[in-house]
Structure formats: C-alpha cells, structure tokens
Amino acid sequence: MGFWDELWRGRSTDFDSGSAASNAIELTKRHRQVSLTKQGAATGNLRVNLSWRMRTSDIGGPERGRLLKHPFRLFTPEVVQGHTQSMVNVDLDLGCMYELADGSKGVVQPLGGFFGELNESPYIKLSGDDRFGSGSGETIFVNLDHRDEIKRLLIFVYIYDQTPAFDRTHAIVTLYPSNGPRIEIGLDERHPQARSCAVVLIENVKGDLTVRREVKFVYGFQAELDRLYGWGLQWGRGYKSKADR
C-alpha cells in the first residue's frame, strides 16, 4: 500500500485526517474566523481539500431543449454528462503560499511541480493535481506539529488555462483538522473573468493558530495575489508537466 493510501485510509496514527468529524463550521462574510488552537485542533495533519462541480443551472445550456425531447437523459450519470460538454475544460488548482517563522517564503502548487514536503520545511504537501473536479478533488496537507515554525499560509485557487469560469463552477474548500469539526468555505460569488481567488488565511499570532475566510477574486494569477497580501515572491510564467496535466 502506498503512502497516500495510508494517508487517506487513516490507518497510520501519524496522519489523522479528521474525517470523522460529524459537523461543520461554515465561514461566511459575517462569521469569518475560527481558532484552531482554542478548539484543540492545532496539532497533527490539517487536510485542506478543494472540490468542485459544474453549477446545475449552467449544465446543458442548449441541452435543456433536448432534455425535454429525451427526458431519460436526466438519468445519465452526472459525471458522464459533465465530461461530454465543453465546460469540463474548467480546471481549478489548489495552492498555498507560505511564510515561515524564520522568514523563508514560497509556494506549494501543481504548476511548476512545487509539491512541498510534509515532515520537513515547509511542512506542507500537495497530494496531486485533479483535472476534472472528481469526488476526492485536490488536497494539501499541513503538518501542524510544526505550527511554531509557521507564520502564515494563504490557501488559494486558480484556473491554470482554458476559459475563466469561476461563475460556472460550484467550488468548496474544506479544512479537516485532526480534531473537531471540519471548516468549509464556499466560492459561490460570481466573478466570471477572475482567474484566481484567495480563499483562506491561516496565521499563527502569538501561538494562536487562526483560520480566516478571505474569498477575494482577482483577474490575474498568483503574482496578483502576492501583491494583494504583500508576500514578495518572484513569479515567472510556469507550465505543468505532461504527467500533471
């Protein structure tokens, strides 16, 4: 059994995904912040998951008329319907800018193959690149046993190529702490031309590890998010390897 199999199945006590949480905390404009420390959830591995699907109201477009003539198409499995339409070209990627206590900064993301490391600096690991918004989505793991070495993390989502289509997807970023309820942030605002979105900021302020909803859409790429949050990284045009596409 591979490393990621052990991680997902939760058979190793070193990798608790927190998937047993029975309830959820939804971060909204009115309820933006939660403390992992105060919930006793600032240890172990924090799992950050991105999943998405096409908005039901947008699936079909011209197909709606055909559905009236062929109503049994409604019983076609959703994944088959989605993958037969051009809108499936939407490809959302999950990334994380990090700043550590020692001043080092960087990014973990599929673009450029920056997948990170979990048990050594930067204590952040991307599990892979999901091209179609499958049930498992994309996942980043953060080793909070090294929380004292983490200053701040910006979790973001971007569209690598194809047409900007945040307005045609229903995306959600979910944080699964090692203890307590999961934390959900929905990207439901309509920004049809946006290519990137700062989703959540995780900060270590005097030992208190907090999670704050951002959901700020920008029309550029990671460099624009960098300027917005003052990260100070140097950015260049990046490409995914064929294995990541």
Side-chain angles (χ1 to χ4, degrees):
M1 181 174 291
F3 171 77
W4 295 115
D5 292 325
E6 288 286 348
L7 199 58
W8 281 107
R9 293 176 184 273
R11 293 180 178 177
S12 171
T13 56
D14 293 334
F15 301 102
D16 187 351
S17 67
S19 59
S22 58
N23 56 342
I25 296 173
E26 182 181 1
L27 296 187
T28 64
K29 290 182 179 179
R30 298 185 65 179
H31 179 209
R32 294 186 58 197
Q33 185 168 304
V34 64
S35 170
L36 293 179
T37 302
K38 292 177 181 178
Q39 293 192 132
T43 59
N45 286 285
L46 173 67
R47 177 160 61 97
V48 182
N49 177 259
L50 163 68
S51 60
W52 75 94
R53 57 180 170 80
M54 303 309 297
R55 291 181 185 270
T56 304
S57 60
D58 291 328
I59 289 180
E63 289 282 316
R64 293 178 185 175
R66 298 190 187 100
L67 286 175
L68 293 176
K69 296 180 180 179
H70 305 283
F72 287 102
R73 289 196 61 185
L74 287 171
F75 298 98
T76 304
E78 181 178 357
V79 66
V80 175
Q81 287 188 8
H83 288 191
T84 58
Q85 300 171 40
S86 60
M87 285 186 293
V88 80
N89 286 333
V90 176
D91 176 22
L92 303 185
D93 282 334
L94 181 67
C96 175
M97 291 186 206
Y98 62 83
E99 181 178 1
L100 302 184
D102 64 4
S104 58
K105 301 176 182 179
V107 64
V108 172
Q109 63 179 22
L111 191 60
F114 297 107
F115 290 98
E117 294 292 341
L118 191 62
N119 294 311
E120 58 186 71
S121 182
Y123 311 107
I124 306 162
K125 181 74 174 180
L126 177 67
S127 67
D129 180 18
D130 175 20
R131 296 284 288 175
F132 298 107
S134 66
S136 60
E138 293 187 11
T139 301
I140 285 176
F141 293 89
V142 182
N143 187 344
L144 295 185
D145 289 338
H146 292 271
R147 62 191 177 280
D148 292 339
E149 298 175 64
I150 296 173
K151 181 178 180 180
R152 60 174 179 158
L153 308 175
L154 179 67
I155 304 297
F156 63 93
V157 175
Y158 64 99
I159 299 175
Y160 166 62
D161 56 9
Q162 307 297 339
T163 304
F166 273 112
D167 63 321
R168 290 187 292 177
T169 61
H170 176 77
I172 185 169
V173 172
T174 307
L175 282 65
Y176 296 88
S178 61
N179 179 54
R182 64 186 183 274
I183 302 166
E184 297 179 346
I185 306 98
L187 308 185
D188 290 329
E189 299 175 19
R190 299 259 179 166
H191 292 267
Q193 298 302 315
R195 284 197 172 272
S196 306
C197 178
V199 180
V200 65
L201 188 66
I202 302 172
E203 291 185 290
N204 190 340
V205 181
K206 297 181 180 179
D208 185 13
L209 201 65
T210 60
V211 175
R212 188 175 76 228
R213 178 189 185 273
E214 297 293 318
V215 190
K216 294 180 180 179
F217 290 87
V218 300
Y219 297 92
F221 291 95
Q222 294 91 321
E224 190 169 341
L225 291 177
D226 185 312
R227 288 191 293 271
L228 186 63
Y229 287 87
W231 228 268
L233 300 177
Q234 296 295 319
W235 298 90
R237 178 61 177 169
Y239 300 90
K240 291 185 184 181
S241 67
K242 292 183 179 179
D244 295 329
R245 294 190 175 198

Coordinates of all heavy atoms in Angstrom, one line a residue, residues 68-140:
L68 N -36.0 18.0 -22.9 CA -37.4 17.9 -22.9 C -37.9 16.9 -23.9 O -38.9 16.2 -23.7 CB -38.0 19.3 -23.4 CG -37.8 20.4 -22.3 CD1 -38.3 21.7 -22.9 CD2 -38.5 20.1 -21.0
K69 N -37.1 16.7 -25.0 CA -37.5 15.7 -26.0 C -37.0 14.3 -25.6 O -37.6 13.3 -26.0 CB -36.8 16.1 -27.4 CG -37.4 17.4 -28.0 CD -36.7 17.7 -29.3 CE -37.2 19.0 -29.9 NZ -36.5 19.3 -31.2
H70 N -35.9 14.3 -24.8 CA -35.4 13.0 -24.4 C -35.2 13.0 -22.9 O -34.1 13.1 -22.3 CB -34.0 12.8 -25.0 CG -34.1 12.8 -26.5 ND1 -34.6 11.8 -27.3 CD2 -33.7 13.8 -27.4 CE1 -34.5 12.2 -28.6 NE2 -34.0 13.4 -28.7
P71 N -36.3 13.0 -22.1 CA -36.3 13.1 -20.7 C -35.4 12.0 -20.0 O -34.9 12.3 -18.9 CB -37.7 13.0 -20.2 CG -38.4 12.3 -21.4 CD -37.7 12.7 -22.6
F72 N -35.2 10.9 -20.6 CA -34.5 9.8 -19.9 C -33.0 10.2 -19.8 O -32.3 9.5 -19.1 CB -34.7 8.5 -20.6 CG -36.0 7.9 -20.4 CD1 -37.0 7.9 -21.4 CD2 -36.3 7.3 -19.2 CE1 -38.3 7.4 -21.1 CE2 -37.6 6.8 -18.9 CZ -38.6 6.8 -19.9
R73 N -32.6 11.2 -20.6 CA -31.2 11.6 -20.4 C -30.9 12.2 -19.0 O -29.7 12.3 -18.6 CB -30.8 12.7 -21.5 CG -30.8 12.1 -22.9 CD -30.1 13.1 -23.8 NE -28.7 13.4 -23.4 CZ -27.9 14.3 -24.0 NH1 -28.4 15.0 -25.0 NH2 -26.7 14.4 -23.5
L74 N -31.9 12.6 -18.3 CA -31.8 13.0 -17.0 C -31.2 12.0 -16.1 O -30.6 12.3 -15.0 CB -33.1 13.5 -16.4 CG -33.7 14.8 -16.9 CD1 -35.1 15.0 -16.4 CD2 -32.8 16.0 -16.5
F75 N -31.3 10.7 -16.4 CA -30.9 9.6 -15.6 C -29.4 9.2 -16.0 O -28.9 8.3 -15.4 CB -31.8 8.4 -15.7 CG -33.2 8.7 -15.2 CD1 -34.2 9.1 -16.1 CD2 -33.5 8.8 -13.9 CE1 -35.5 9.4 -15.7 CE2 -34.7 9.1 -13.4 CZ -35.7 9.4 -14.3
T76 N -28.9 9.9 -17.0 CA -27.5 9.6 -17.3 C -26.6 10.1 -16.1 O -26.8 11.1 -15.5 CB -27.0 10.5 -18.5 OG1 -27.9 10.1 -19.6 CG2 -25.6 10.1 -18.9
P77 N -25.6 9.3 -15.7 CA -24.8 9.6 -14.5 C -24.2 11.0 -14.7 O -23.8 11.4 -15.8 CB -23.7 8.6 -14.5 CG -24.3 7.4 -15.2 CD -25.3 7.9 -16.2
E78 N -24.2 11.8 -13.7 CA -23.7 13.2 -13.8 C -22.3 13.3 -14.3 O -22.1 14.2 -15.1 CB -23.8 13.9 -12.4 CG -23.4 15.3 -12.4 CD -23.5 15.9 -11.0 OE1 -23.9 15.2 -10.1 OE2 -23.2 17.1 -10.8
V79 N -21.4 12.4 -13.9 CA -20.1 12.6 -14.4 C -20.0 12.4 -15.9 O -19.2 13.0 -16.6 CB -19.2 11.5 -13.7 CG1 -19.5 10.1 -14.0 CG2 -17.7 11.8 -14.0
V80 N -20.9 11.5 -16.4 CA -20.9 11.3 -17.9 C -21.4 12.5 -18.6 O -20.8 13.0 -19.6 CB -21.7 10.1 -18.3 CG1 -21.8 9.9 -19.8 CG2 -21.1 8.8 -17.6
Q81 N -22.5 13.1 -18.1 CA -23.0 14.3 -18.7 C -21.9 15.4 -18.7 O -21.7 16.1 -19.7 CB -24.2 14.8 -17.9 CG -25.5 14.0 -18.1 CD -26.7 14.6 -17.5 OE1 -26.6 15.7 -17.0 NE2 -27.8 13.9 -17.4
G82 N -21.3 15.6 -17.5 CA -20.3 16.7 -17.4 C -19.2 16.6 -18.4 O -18.7 17.5 -19.0
H83 N -18.7 15.3 -18.6 CA -17.5 15.1 -19.4 C -17.8 15.1 -20.9 O -16.9 15.0 -21.7 CB -16.8 13.8 -19.0 CG -16.1 14.0 -17.6 ND1 -15.2 13.0 -17.2 CD2 -16.2 14.9 -16.7 CE1 -14.8 13.4 -16.0 NE2 -15.4 14.5 -15.7
T84 N -19.0 15.3 -21.2 CA -19.4 15.3 -22.7 C -19.6 16.7 -23.1 O -20.0 17.0 -24.2 CB -20.6 14.5 -23.0 OG1 -21.7 15.0 -22.2 CG2 -20.4 13.0 -22.7
Q85 N -19.4 17.7 -22.2 CA -19.6 19.1 -22.6 C -18.3 19.9 -22.5 O -17.4 19.5 -21.8 CB -20.7 19.7 -21.6 CG -22.0 18.9 -21.7 CD -22.9 19.4 -20.6 OE1 -23.0 20.6 -20.3 NE2 -23.6 18.5 -19.9
S86 N -18.3 21.0 -23.3 CA -17.1 21.7 -23.4 C -16.7 22.4 -22.1 O -15.6 22.7 -21.8 CB -17.3 22.8 -24.5 OG -18.4 23.7 -24.1
M87 N -17.7 22.6 -21.2 CA -17.5 23.3 -19.9 C -16.5 22.5 -19.0 O -16.0 23.0 -18.1 CB -18.8 23.6 -19.2 CG -19.5 24.8 -19.8 SD -21.0 25.2 -18.8 CE -22.0 23.8 -19.0
V88 N -16.3 21.2 -19.3 CA -15.4 20.4 -18.5 C -14.0 20.9 -18.6 O -13.2 20.5 -17.8 CB -15.6 18.9 -18.9 CG1 -14.7 18.6 -20.1 CG2 -15.1 18.0 -17.7
N89 N -13.7 21.8 -19.5 CA -12.4 22.3 -19.6 C -11.9 23.2 -18.4 O -10.8 23.6 -18.3 CB -12.2 23.2 -20.9 CG -12.2 22.3 -22.2 OD1 -11.8 21.1 -22.1 ND2 -12.6 22.8 -23.3
V90 N -12.9 23.5 -17.6 CA -12.6 24.3 -16.4 C -11.6 23.4 -15.5 O -11.9 22.3 -15.2 CB -13.8 24.6 -15.6 CG1 -13.5 25.3 -14.3 CG2 -14.7 25.5 -16.4
D91 N -10.5 24.0 -15.1 CA -9.5 23.2 -14.4 C -9.1 24.1 -13.2 O -8.3 25.0 -13.3 CB -8.3 22.9 -15.2 CG -7.2 22.2 -14.4 OD1 -7.5 21.6 -13.4 OD2 -6.0 22.2 -14.9
L92 N -9.6 23.8 -12.0 CA -9.3 24.6 -10.8 C -8.1 23.9 -10.1 O -8.1 22.7 -10.0 CB -10.5 24.6 -9.8 CG -11.8 25.3 -10.4 CD1 -12.8 25.4 -9.3 CD2 -11.5 26.6 -11.0
D93 N -7.1 24.7 -9.7 CA -6.0 24.2 -9.0 C -5.9 24.8 -7.6 O -6.3 25.9 -7.4 CB -4.7 24.5 -9.7 CG -4.4 23.6 -10.9 OD1 -5.0 22.4 -10.9 OD2 -3.8 24.0 -11.9
L94 N -5.4 24.0 -6.7 CA -5.3 24.4 -5.3 C -3.8 24.7 -5.0 O -2.9 24.0 -5.4 CB -5.7 23.3 -4.3 CG -5.7 23.5 -2.8 CD1 -6.7 24.6 -2.4 CD2 -6.0 22.2 -2.1
G95 N -3.6 25.8 -4.3 CA -2.2 26.2 -4.0 C -2.1 26.8 -2.6 O -3.1 27.1 -2.0
C96 N -0.9 27.0 -2.1 CA -0.6 27.6 -0.8 C 0.6 28.4 -0.8 O 1.7 27.9 -1.1 CB -0.6 26.5 0.3 SG -0.2 27.1 1.9
M97 N 0.5 29.7 -0.6 CA 1.7 30.5 -0.3 C 2.0 30.4 1.2 O 1.1 30.4 2.0 CB 1.5 32.0 -0.7 CG 1.3 32.2 -2.1 SD 1.2 34.0 -2.4 CE 0.3 34.0 -4.0
Y98 N 3.3 30.3 1.5 CA 3.7 30.1 2.9 C 4.8 31.1 3.3 O 5.6 31.5 2.5 CB 4.1 28.7 3.2 CG 5.4 28.2 2.5 CD1 6.6 28.6 2.9 CD2 5.3 27.5 1.3 CE1 7.8 28.1 2.3 CE2 6.4 27.1 0.6 CZ 7.6 27.4 1.1 OH 8.8 27.0 0.4
E99 N 4.7 31.5 4.6 CA 5.8 32.3 5.2 C 6.1 31.6 6.5 O 5.2 31.5 7.4 CB 5.4 33.7 5.4 CG 6.5 34.6 6.0 CD 6.2 36.0 6.1 OE1 5.0 36.4 5.8 OE2 7.0 36.8 6.6
L100 N 7.3 31.2 6.7 CA 7.7 30.5 8.0 C 8.2 31.5 9.0 O 8.6 32.7 8.6 CB 8.7 29.4 7.7 CG 8.2 28.3 6.7 CD1 9.3 27.3 6.5 CD2 6.9 27.8 7.1
A101 N 8.4 31.1 10.2 CA 8.8 31.9 11.3 C 10.3 32.4 11.1 O 10.6 33.5 11.5 CB 8.7 31.2 12.6
D102 N 11.1 31.7 10.3 CA 12.4 32.0 10.1 C 12.6 33.0 8.9 O 13.7 33.4 8.5 CB 13.3 30.8 9.8 CG 12.9 30.0 8.6 OD1 12.0 30.5 7.8 OD2 13.5 29.0 8.3
G103 N 11.4 33.4 8.3 CA 11.4 34.4 7.2 C 11.4 33.8 5.8 O 11.2 34.5 4.8
S104 N 11.6 32.5 5.7 CA 11.5 31.8 4.4 C 10.1 31.8 3.8 O 9.1 31.7 4.6 CB 12.1 30.4 4.5 OG 11.4 29.6 5.4
K105 N 10.0 32.0 2.5 CA 8.7 32.1 1.8 C 8.8 31.2 0.6 O 9.8 30.9 0.0 CB 8.4 33.5 1.4 CG 8.4 34.5 2.6 CD 8.1 35.9 2.1 CE 8.1 37.0 3.2 NZ 7.9 38.3 2.7
G106 N 7.6 30.8 0.1 CA 7.5 30.0 -1.1 C 6.1 29.7 -1.4 O 5.1 30.2 -0.8
V107 N 5.9 28.7 -2.3 CA 4.6 28.3 -2.7 C 4.5 26.8 -3.0 O 5.5 26.2 -3.3 CB 4.2 29.1 -4.0 CG1 5.1 28.7 -5.2 CG2 2.7 28.8 -4.4
V108 N 3.4 26.2 -2.7 CA 3.1 24.8 -3.0 C 1.9 24.8 -3.9 O 0.9 25.3 -3.6 CB 2.8 24.0 -1.7 CG1 2.3 22.6 -2.0 CG2 4.0 23.9 -0.8
Q109 N 2.1 24.2 -5.1 CA 1.1 24.2 -6.1 C 1.5 23.3 -7.2 O 2.6 22.9 -7.4 CB 0.9 25.6 -6.7 CG 2.2 26.1 -7.5 CD 2.0 27.5 -8.1 OE1 1.2 28.3 -7.7 NE2 2.8 27.8 -9.1
P110 N 0.5 22.8 -8.0 CA 0.8 21.9 -9.1 C 1.6 22.5 -10.2 O 2.5 21.9 -10.8 CB -0.6 21.5 -9.7 CG -1.6 21.8 -8.6 CD -1.0 23.0 -7.9
L111 N 1.4 23.8 -10.5 CA 2.1 24.5 -11.6 C 3.6 24.6 -11.2 O 3.9 25.2 -10.1 CB 1.5 25.9 -11.8 CG 2.0 26.7 -13.0 CD1 1.7 25.9 -14.3 CD2 1.3 28.0 -13.0
G112 N 4.5 24.1 -12.0 CA 5.9 24.1 -11.7 C 6.3 22.9 -10.9 O 7.5 22.7 -10.6
G113 N 5.4 22.1 -10.5 CA 5.8 20.9 -9.7 C 6.2 21.2 -8.3 O 7.1 20.4 -7.7
F114 N 5.7 22.2 -7.7 CA 6.1 22.6 -6.3 C 5.2 21.8 -5.3 O 4.2 22.4 -4.8 CB 6.1 24.1 -6.1 CG 7.0 24.9 -6.9 CD1 6.6 25.6 -8.0 CD2 8.4 24.8 -6.7 CE1 7.4 26.3 -8.8 CE2 9.3 25.5 -7.5 CZ 8.8 26.3 -8.5
F115 N 5.5 20.6 -5.0 CA 4.6 19.8 -4.2 C 4.9 19.8 -2.7 O 4.1 19.3 -1.9 CB 4.6 18.3 -4.8 CG 3.9 18.2 -6.1 CD1 4.6 18.2 -7.3 CD2 2.5 18.1 -6.2 CE1 4.0 18.1 -8.5 CE2 1.9 18.0 -7.4 CZ 2.6 18.0 -8.6
G116 N 6.0 20.4 -2.3 CA 6.3 20.6 -0.9 C 6.8 19.3 -0.2 O 6.9 18.2 -0.8
E117 N 6.9 19.4 1.1 CA 7.3 18.3 2.0 C 6.5 18.4 3.3 O 6.3 19.5 3.8 CB 8.8 18.4 2.3 CG 9.7 18.2 1.1 CD 9.7 16.7 0.6 OE1 9.2 15.9 1.3 OE2 10.1 16.5 -0.6
L118 N 6.1 17.3 3.8 CA 5.3 17.3 5.0 C 6.1 17.3 6.3 O 5.7 17.9 7.3 CB 4.3 16.1 4.9 CG 3.2 16.1 6.0 CD1 2.3 17.3 5.8 CD2 2.4 14.8 5.9
N119 N 7.1 16.5 6.3 CA 7.9 16.3 7.6 C 9.2 17.1 7.7 O 10.0 16.9 8.6 CB 8.2 14.8 7.8 CG 6.9 14.0 7.9 OD1 6.0 14.3 8.7 ND2 6.8 12.9 7.2
E120 N 9.4 18.0 6.7 CA 10.4 18.9 6.8 C 10.0 20.2 6.1 O 8.9 20.2 5.5 CB 11.7 18.4 6.1 CG 11.5 18.0 4.6 CD 12.8 17.4 4.1 OE1 13.1 16.2 4.4 OE2 13.4 18.0 3.2
S121 N 10.7 21.3 6.2 CA 10.3 22.6 5.7 C 9.9 22.4 4.2 O 10.6 21.8 3.4 CB 11.4 23.6 5.8 OG 11.1 24.8 5.3
P122 N 8.7 23.0 3.8 CA 7.9 23.9 4.6 C 6.7 23.3 5.4 O 5.8 24.0 5.8 CB 7.3 24.8 3.4 CG 7.1 23.8 2.3 CD 8.3 22.9 2.4
Y123 N 6.7 21.9 5.6 CA 5.7 21.2 6.3 C 4.3 21.3 5.7 O 3.3 21.2 6.3 CB 5.6 21.7 7.8 CG 7.0 21.8 8.4 CD1 7.6 23.1 8.6 CD2 7.7 20.7 8.7 CE1 8.9 23.2 9.1 CE2 9.0 20.8 9.2 CZ 9.6 22.0 9.4 OH 10.9 22.1 10.0
I124 N 4.3 21.4 4.3 CA 3.1 21.5 3.5 C 3.3 20.5 2.3 O 4.4 20.5 1.7 CB 2.9 22.9 3.0 CG1 2.9 23.9 4.2 CG2 1.6 23.0 2.2 CD1 3.1 25.3 3.7
K125 N 2.3 19.7 2.0 CA 2.4 18.7 0.9 C 1.2 18.7 0.1 O 0.1 18.5 0.7 CB 2.7 17.3 1.5 CG 2.9 16.2 0.5 CD 4.2 16.3 -0.2 CE 4.4 15.1 -1.2 NZ 5.7 15.2 -1.9
L126 N 1.3 18.9 -1.2 CA 0.2 18.7 -2.1 C 0.1 17.3 -2.6 O 1.1 16.7 -3.1 CB 0.4 19.7 -3.3 CG -0.7 19.6 -4.4 CD1 -2.0 20.1 -3.9 CD2 -0.2 20.5 -5.6
S127 N -1.1 16.7 -2.6 CA -1.2 15.3 -2.9 C -1.2 15.0 -4.4 O -0.9 13.9 -4.8 CB -2.5 14.7 -2.3 OG -3.6 15.3 -2.9
G128 N -1.6 16.0 -5.2 CA -1.7 15.8 -6.6 C -2.5 16.8 -7.3 O -2.9 17.8 -6.7
D129 N -2.8 16.6 -8.6 CA -3.5 17.6 -9.4 C -4.7 16.9 -10.0 O -4.6 16.0 -10.8 CB -2.6 18.1 -10.5 CG -3.2 19.1 -11.4 OD1 -4.3 19.7 -11.0 OD2 -2.7 19.3 -12.6
D130 N -5.9 17.4 -9.6 CA -7.2 16.8 -10.2 C -7.7 17.7 -11.3 O -7.9 18.9 -11.1 CB -8.2 16.8 -9.0 CG -9.5 16.4 -9.5 OD1 -9.6 15.7 -10.6 OD2 -10.5 16.6 -8.8
R131 N -7.8 17.1 -12.5 CA -8.1 17.9 -13.7 C -9.6 18.0 -13.9 O -10.1 18.9 -14.7 CB -7.5 17.3 -14.9 CG -6.0 17.3 -14.9 CD -5.5 18.6 -15.3 NE -5.7 19.0 -16.7 CZ -5.4 20.2 -17.2 NH1 -4.9 21.1 -16.5 NH2 -5.7 20.4 -18.5
F132 N -10.4 17.2 -13.2 CA -11.9 17.2 -13.5 C -12.8 17.4 -12.4 O -14.0 17.2 -12.5 CB -12.2 15.9 -14.2 CG -11.5 15.6 -15.5 CD1 -10.4 14.7 -15.6 CD2 -11.8 16.3 -16.6 CE1 -9.7 14.5 -16.7 CE2 -11.1 16.1 -17.8 CZ -10.1 15.2 -17.9
G133 N -12.3 17.8 -11.2 CA -13.2 18.1 -10.1 C -13.8 16.8 -9.6 O -15.0 16.8 -9.4
S134 N -13.1 15.7 -9.4 CA -13.6 14.5 -9.0 C -14.0 14.5 -7.5 O -13.8 15.5 -6.9 CB -12.6 13.3 -9.2 OG -11.5 13.5 -8.4
G135 N -14.6 13.4 -7.1 CA -15.0 13.4 -5.7 C -13.9 13.7 -4.7 O -14.2 14.3 -3.7
S136 N -12.7 13.2 -4.9 CA -11.6 13.4 -4.0 C -11.0 14.8 -4.1 O -10.5 15.4 -3.2 CB -10.5 12.3 -4.2 OG -10.0 12.4 -5.5
G137 N -11.1 15.4 -5.3 CA -10.6 16.7 -5.5 C -9.1 16.8 -5.3 O -8.3 15.8 -5.5
E138 N -8.6 18.0 -5.0 CA -7.1 18.2 -4.7 C -7.0 18.4 -3.2 O -7.8 19.1 -2.6 CB -6.6 19.4 -5.5 CG -6.6 19.1 -7.0 CD -5.9 20.3 -7.8 OE1 -5.3 21.1 -7.1 OE2 -5.9 20.3 -9.0
T139 N -5.9 18.0 -2.7 CA -5.7 18.1 -1.2 C -4.3 18.5 -0.9 O -3.3 18.1 -1.5 CB -5.9 16.7 -0.6 OG1 -7.3 16.3 -0.8 CG2 -5.8 16.8 1.0
I140 N -4.2 19.5 0.1 CA -2.9 19.9 0.7 C -2.9 19.5 2.1 O -3.9 19.6 2.8 CB -2.8 21.4 0.5 CG1 -2.4 21.8 -0.9 CG2 -1.7 21.9 1.5 CD1 -2.3 23.3 -1.1

